Amino acid sequence: MSFVPRDAVEKAVREAIEASPRRNFRQSVDLIVVMRDVDLKSPQGRIREVVFLPHQPNRKVTICVAADGDMAVKAREVADRVLTKEELQGLVGNRKAAKKIAEFCDWVLVRTDLMPLVGRTLAPALGPRGKVPIPVPPNANIVDFVKRYRSAVMLRMKDQPQVMCSVGTEDMKVEEIVENIYKVLNTLEGKLPNARNNIARVIVKTTMGPPVEVMLR
């Protein structure tokens, strides 16, 4: 992505971290990409893409797995919560419990045969929070799936012509954050009809800090 110079991205990341007021918690480093000339009703404007960052941010990512049998047993070794078929059936008609789970889980990985049940119980609570159930084949290595999603972010453009996601934490190496940013930008480039024209602004900021704009070519 030649119109987003690497040195400009690195400069913006450093400035964003340095300008951020010190807090008693680890702040995220967020990326905001503002679009132009993108029809939000077109396929290009309905961006919903999972991106696996090359460097896992130093933050808690809560992974829930809906599975039974051997997959559930293995998932308990690495996931933050495992939901069995019986537990999912117990959520039918219980919106309060489903909402609580949806708030707790950053990602919900679901064995494919349980997707219809998750669609009836959890999906209505996940959707408004910008989350989606992720299907997992029955013979997949759930341990690898969970580990992979620890570094995943969701790119989502819905009502506003922009995408925002976390690309790191303030205690990470700047070079790692820059590489994460480029992974997101390259993914967007592949989804947009004309990235050079469609990407209007690229902004970096910490959770509590001021926005710092990347100077584009």
Side-chain angles (χ1 to χ4, degrees), residues 92-109:
V92 175
N94 192 339
R95 293 183 179 181
K96 185 176 180 179
K99 180 180 177 181
K100 188 174 181 179
I101 294 171
E103 290 174 344
F104 174 75
C105 303
D106 292 312
W107 294 100
V108 180
L109 309 182

Side-chain angles (χ1 to χ4, degrees), residues 143-155:
V143 174
D144 288 345
F145 254 82
V146 170
K147 289 180 178 178
R148 193 173 184 220
Y149 273 84
R150 296 283 183 199
S151 64
V153 293
M154 173 70 82
L155 305 185

Side-chain angles (χ1 to χ4, degrees), residues 2-3 20 27 40 42-43 50-51 55 58 69 72 80 107 114 120 129 133 143 159 187 195 203:
S2 59
F3 65 94
S20 180
Q27 297 186 71
L40 296 178
S42 71
V50 178
V51 177
H55 303 284
N58 298 323
D80 299 282
W107 294 100
L114 294 179
R120 296 203 313 272
R129 292 164 177 78
V143 174
D159 300 321
T187 301
I203 298 166

Side-chain angles (χ1 to χ4, degrees), residues 10 12 15 19 46 99 105 111 129 153 188:
E10 183 174 329
E15 287 184 8
R46 292 193 296 269
K99 180 180 177 181
C105 303
R111 201 176 69 183
R129 292 164 177 78
V153 293
L188 285 175

Side-chain angles (χ1 to χ4, degrees), residues 66-138:
D68 269 329
D70 187 53
M71 182 178 287
V73 172
K74 291 180 179 177
R76 287 192 176 93
E77 300 174 5
V78 290
D80 299 282
R81 179 164 182 179
V82 176
L83 300 163
T84 64
K85 182 177 181 179
E86 289 72 22
E87 288 177 278
L88 289 170
Q89 289 171 332
L91 294 176
V92 175
N94 192 339
R95 293 183 179 181
K96 185 176 180 179
K99 180 180 177 181
K100 188 174 181 179
I101 294 171
E103 290 174 344
F104 174 75
C105 303
D106 292 312
W107 294 100
V108 180
L109 309 182
V110 185
R111 201 176 69 183
T112 49
D113 60 303
L114 294 179
M115 282 292 285
L117 183 55
V118 169
R120 296 203 313 272
T121 56
L122 281 180
L126 292 170
R129 292 164 177 78
K131 303 174 183 180
V132 294
I134 306 295
V136 180

